[in-house]
Amino acid sequence: MADKYGKKGLIVLAVNTRPNETADQIKGFARGLGLKHVLLQNGAAVASKYHVRGTPTTLFIDSQGSIVAREEGFDAAKLEAGARAVLPAQ
């Protein structure tokens, strides 16, 4: 998503919710998945604020800070639709 929509304004952040993982472990995990976006360490407070119950959970937040869509699990079509929902109309 970051590669596809980054130039259109999409910002992707990943939040690690496991408190005992080191920065090196998180970076290794991200490299293994080919993730290139920002990874936030110690994100339990963020997960709590947004009521994340499981991973992966994706929140699509528009430029006004409103949650437009939420996806729990991984469904490529739903992720695509969520990304398009927060981007400015073309």
Side-chain angles (χ1 to χ4, degrees):
M1 290 295 149
D3 288 341
K4 186 172 184 177
Y5 294 115
K7 290 183 181 178
K8 294 181 180 181
L10 183 72
I11 298 170
V12 178
L13 302 173
V15 179
N16 178 54
T17 59
R18 297 179 181 162
N20 297 325
E21 287 186 333
T22 66
D24 287 338
Q25 288 172 312
I26 295 166
K27 288 177 187 176
F29 176 78
R31 267 194 306 273
L33 291 177
L35 301 179
K36 299 175 186 169
H37 48 271
V38 175
L39 292 149
L40 305 176
Q41 188 176 1
N42 301 322
V46 173
S48 178
K49 177 178 174 142
Y50 289 101
H51 308 288
V52 172
R53 296 179 296 272
T55 58
T57 296
T58 303
L59 301 172
F60 296 93
I61 303 171
D62 67 14
S63 62
Q64 309 308 307
S66 298
I67 297 173
V68 174
R70 175 187 192 101
E71 173 62 22
E72 294 180 1
F74 184 86
D75 181 317
K78 288 181 181 178
L79 294 174
E80 184 81 23
R84 286 194 311 266
V86 297
L87 291 173
Q90 298 294 317

